[in-house]
Amino acid sequence: MGRVISGITTSLDGYITGPNDGPGRGLGEGGERLHYWVFGGPWSYAEGPRGEATGADKEYLDSAMGNLGAVIGGRGTYEAAEHWGGHNPWPVPFFIVTHRPEEEPHDGEFTFVDGLDAAMEAARAVAGDKDVQVMGGADTIRQALHAGYVEEFTLTIAPVVLGAGKRLFEGFTENLHLEPVRVLQSPFATHITYRVAR
Amino acid sequence: MGRVISGITTSLDGYITGPNDGPGRGLGEGGERLHYWVFGGPWSYAEGPRGEATGADKEYLDSAMGNLGAVIGGRGTYEAAEHWGGHNPWPVPFFIVTHRPEEEPHDGEFTFVDGLDAAMEAARAVAGDKDVQVMGGADTIRQALHAGYVEEFTLTIAPVVLGAGKRLFEGFTENLHLEPVRVLQSPFATHITYRVAR
């Protein structure tokens, strides 16, 4: 069976978005800086992304994508991303965790699933010996960490203090032991990968 | 003139102590794990530290100590550390930021200074072309970041999610741009050093 992996980008102060994120406002005020690493440097919502990940950032992306079999995302992320224009952005099946699975579009781009446990079961089944990636948002990652699903977690830290926004670990009150596996650093991000102890 | 540097250890969820830290309770419940890297592995308040930093952890410590001229710490840290048994733990002058400088012990081990600005001025004067280290606690580091004193900041992340405690960036609402300088990783910590943009 493949692994369950997860990763998300935060600021130094632990925010996964700046203030006022949402549809049309992406990762919120200043939030573009969280994802400079994804696009090879500065970009803005006004002008749109320009390039691609390079160097250590590409190395991390390639490692996360190398054995990908399925992706799980939360409904909030799906909405904030404006449904990725109606097209699954991943080259593998994409499961959206939602309380309203009946709202799934009929074109087969996304599979809506009622709850994380059901999404995990479906994703594992389709992934086989490939990895299931829990991409976020924060609430979905917290649920997956809480349930003990995540075997490898990558904390990507963008070199910015945002001062406000949504915290990755908001309301998460558990103790977790992790084991550093590797670290990659570019001018735009530091990617720390951990094995999560069970 | 030397640089002003700062560094502190947090959990993945951004806590510099576990719950219930303070005199006799050090870094709080589970907080020992934050500092495994300082002592080369697991230790507890009950049994006390055993070893020394090794490998990447020693490399980071050596780099931080290599050109040290003075250290600044907050009164809360001084009290939580139980005055380090009455002896300055650093090989250089140690300035304690406090609203009650008249409470300075008379043996010359520590210099009590009223406020961060005054501490910075005194520390820079004695450090000359060596570095001033702002060691913490969190409030003192936040003040130093806010005032724009810190030129290089090292975020040391211990591989643990604590779920509660004191947050490094609690109440800090500013935006800061940083520039990654280097990263060092051991089984016990990841040390990310940033240049702080002015």
Side-chain angles (χ1 to χ4, degrees):
Chain A
M1 202 166 75
R3 302 168 307 161
V4 177
I5 63 178
S6 183
I8 196 162
T9 305
T10 76
S11 59
L12 260 80
D13 45 351
Y15 295 108
I16 58 153
T17 72
N20 302 314
D21 67 309
R25 297 188 303 270
L27 294 170
E29 293 161 25
E32 295 98 325
R33 285 179 290 161
L34 292 172
H35 281 181
Y36 281 0
W37 71 269
V38 180
F39 303 112
W43 63 286
S44 69
Y45 289 112
E47 301 180 21
R50 300 187 206 184
E52 310 190 328
T54 59
D57 298 324
K58 182 173 190 309
E59 192 179 337
Y60 163 60
L61 268 188
D62 288 349
S63 75
M65 300 289 291
N67 194 40
L68 200 64
V71 175
I72 294 175
R75 181 68 183 264
T77 300
Y78 171 84
E79 297 300 341
E82 301 179 74
H83 318 170
W84 291 277
H87 299 287
N88 176 358
W90 304 96
V92 296
F94 192 1
F95 296 89
I96 307 295
V97 179
T98 173
H99 293 300
R100 304 178 303 280
E102 69 280 5
E103 295 176 8
E104 178 182 298
H106 298 295
D107 56 13
E109 291 283 324
F110 304 92
T111 303
F112 281 25
V113 187
D114 190 359
L116 181 65
D117 294 338
M120 195 61 69
E121 192 179 332
R124 277 175 159 159
V126 75
D129 59 2
K130 292 187 176 259
D131 297 337
V132 173
Q133 166 87 33
V134 180
M135 71 163 288
D139 183 53
T140 304
I141 289 179
R142 289 191 298 260
Q143 282 184 53
L145 287 170
H146 168 77
Y149 285 127
V150 181
E151 294 162 72
E152 198 174 278
F153 180 69
T154 299
L155 184 67
T156 293
I157 304 179
V160 57
V161 173
L162 284 172
K166 286 185 179 157
R167 276 190 217 273
L168 172 57
F169 285 104
E170 188 66 48
F172 192 89
T173 57
E174 284 162 77
N175 244 274
L176 296 176
H177 291 250
L178 303 103
E179 189 186 324
V181 173
R182 69 181 166 277
V183 65
L184 291 165
Q185 184 173 64
S186 81
F188 308 116
T190 305
H191 311 274
I192 316 176
T193 297
Y194 297 95
R195 207 168 290 125
V196 183
R198 297 301 297 270
Chain B
M1 204 165 77
R3 302 167 309 161
V4 176
I5 64 179
S6 183
I8 195 163
T9 305
T10 76
S11 60
L12 261 80
D13 46 349
Y15 295 108
I16 57 154
T17 71
N20 303 314
D21 68 309
R25 296 188 303 272
L27 294 169
E29 292 161 25
E32 294 99 324
R33 286 179 290 160
L34 292 172
H35 281 181
Y36 280 2
W37 71 270
V38 180
F39 304 111
W43 63 285
S44 69
Y45 289 111
E47 301 182 20
R50 298 186 207 186
E52 309 190 329
T54 59
D57 298 324
K58 182 173 190 308
E59 193 179 337
Y60 164 60
L61 268 188
D62 288 348
S63 76
M65 300 288 292
N67 194 40
L68 200 63
V71 175
I72 294 174
R75 180 69 183 262
T77 300
Y78 171 85
E79 296 300 339
E82 301 179 72
H83 316 170
W84 290 279
H87 299 286
N88 176 359
W90 304 96
V92 296
F94 192 1
F95 297 88
I96 306 296
V97 179
T98 174
H99 293 300
R100 303 179 302 281
E102 69 279 6
E103 294 176 10
E104 178 183 299
H106 297 294
D107 55 13
E109 290 284 323
F110 304 93
T111 303
F112 279 27
V113 188
D114 189 359
L116 181 64
D117 294 337
M120 194 61 68
E121 192 179 332
R124 278 174 158 160
V126 75
D129 59 2
K130 293 186 175 260
D131 298 337
V132 174
Q133 166 88 33
V134 180
M135 71 162 291
D139 183 53
T140 303
I141 289 179
R142 289 192 298 261
Q143 284 185 52
L145 287 170
H146 168 76
Y149 285 127
V150 181
E151 293 163 71
E152 198 174 277
F153 179 68
T154 299
L155 185 67
T156 293
I157 303 179
V160 58
V161 174
L162 284 172
K166 286 186 179 159
R167 277 191 216 273
L168 172 56
F169 285 104
E170 187 67 48
F172 192 88
T173 58
E174 285 163 75
N175 244 272
L176 296 177
H177 292 251
L178 303 103
E179 189 187 324
V181 173
R182 68 180 167 277
V183 64
L184 291 166
Q185 185 172 64
S186 81
F188 307 116
T190 305
H191 311 274
I192 316 176
T193 297
Y194 297 96
R195 209 168 290 127
V196 183
R198 297 301 297 272

